[in-house]
């Protein structure tokens, strides 16, 4: 896939996170990462709302918080970002990861057991590791392209077509009724 930058109006790369601001999504981890990366070198945005104290920590760290927005607007914000970073400390398989990849936005996740099996590139377990991976994403166009391409590959594995084929294969009916 050809590289494309979705920089903010002031030339900074855009990094977005989506969801309810809660302990599960670990906004304090994101705030630490943003500070380590240098919050002013990128345009950070959290799409969503939630716990007021955690929201305040994001805002104090220079991360814009949009509040709740309609799904179409959330998808447009994701599509306008260079990177979707998922800082959750525990999570299943959030749809926002696949939605981000489906619109061509590169996805990096925190290295947690439940997300490792999905196939997205991980940014590490600690805030230092995540910050270093994001700094690499910022400065290395080849790495950005690699992460974006891996995100697209991952979303194709989780497509309805791929899932139907896998189920048909498991049940010994490869090709039967699979569109």
């Amino acid at each position: 896939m050809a590289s494309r930058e979705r920089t903010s109006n002031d030339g900074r790369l855009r990094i977005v996170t989506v969801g309810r601001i809660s302990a599960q999504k670990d906004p304090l981890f994101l705030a630490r990462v943003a500070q380590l990366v240098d919050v002013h070198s990128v345009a950070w945005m959290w799409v969503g709302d939630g716990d007021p104290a955690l929201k305040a920590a994001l805002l104090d760290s220079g991360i814009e918080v949009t509040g709740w927005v309609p799904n179409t607007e959330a998808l447009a914000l994701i599509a306008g970002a260079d990177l979707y970073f998922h800082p959750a400390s525990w999570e299943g398989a959030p749809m926002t990861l696949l939605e981000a990849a489906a619109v061509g936005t590169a996805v990096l996740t925190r290295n947690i057991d439940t997300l490792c099996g999905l196939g997205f590139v991980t940014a590490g377990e600690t805030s230092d590791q995540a910050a270093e991976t994001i700094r690499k994403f910022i400065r290395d166009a080849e790495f950005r392209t690699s992460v974006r391409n891996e995100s697209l590959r991952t979303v194709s594995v989780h497509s309805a077509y791929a899932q139907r084929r896998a189920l048909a294969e498991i049940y010994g009916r490869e090709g039967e009724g699979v569109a």
Side-chain angles (χ1 to χ4, degrees):
M1 174 178 188
S3 178
R4 52 99 181 105
E5 302 302 324
R6 299 172 177 178
T7 56
S8 64
N9 291 338
D10 60 8
R12 299 178 298 162
L13 291 183
R14 295 175 183 256
I15 300 177
V16 67
T17 298
V18 177
R20 178 173 300 282
I21 299 172
S22 65
Q24 172 188 350
K25 299 285 190 198
D26 207 349
L28 298 178
F29 181 86
L30 180 64
R32 285 190 304 275
V33 170
Q35 292 301 309
L36 290 167
V37 168
D38 177 13
V39 73
H40 304 293
S41 66
V42 296
W44 297 85
M45 179 185 292
W46 187 297
V47 179
D49 209 337
D51 180 278
L54 295 174
K55 178 180 177 179
L58 291 171
L59 294 169
D60 290 346
S61 295
I63 299 169
E64 177 186 354
V65 177
T66 65
W68 294 117
V69 298
N71 189 53
T72 54
E73 187 176 339
L75 290 173
L77 291 168
I78 293 168
D82 296 285
L83 176 64
Y84 180 104
F85 177 59
H86 196 72
S89 57
W90 72 89
E91 187 84 71
M95 288 300 299
T96 53
L97 298 176
L98 295 174
E99 289 170 334
V103 297
T105 300
V107 175
L108 284 173
T109 66
R110 186 174 180 177
N111 187 9
I112 60 173
D113 291 342
T114 54
L115 295 180
C116 287
L118 296 179
F120 290 102
V121 177
T122 63
E125 295 178 18
T126 69
S127 54
D128 287 332
Q129 292 167 337
E132 181 52 39
T133 302
I134 291 172
R135 284 192 295 267
K136 182 177 182 182
F137 184 89
I138 292 166
R139 70 176 181 265
D140 186 338
E142 188 174 311
F143 182 63
R144 282 194 301 276
T145 299
S146 172
V147 172
R148 189 174 300 115
N149 288 343
E150 189 61 23
S151 299
L152 288 169
R153 187 204 64 74
T154 298
V155 79
S156 73
V157 168
H158 295 284
S159 70
Y161 174 76
Q163 296 300 307
R164 280 193 305 272
R165 284 196 52 85
L167 286 172
E169 190 173 314
I170 289 169
Y171 290 102
R173 300 183 203 139
E174 188 172 353
E176 285 183 38
V178 176

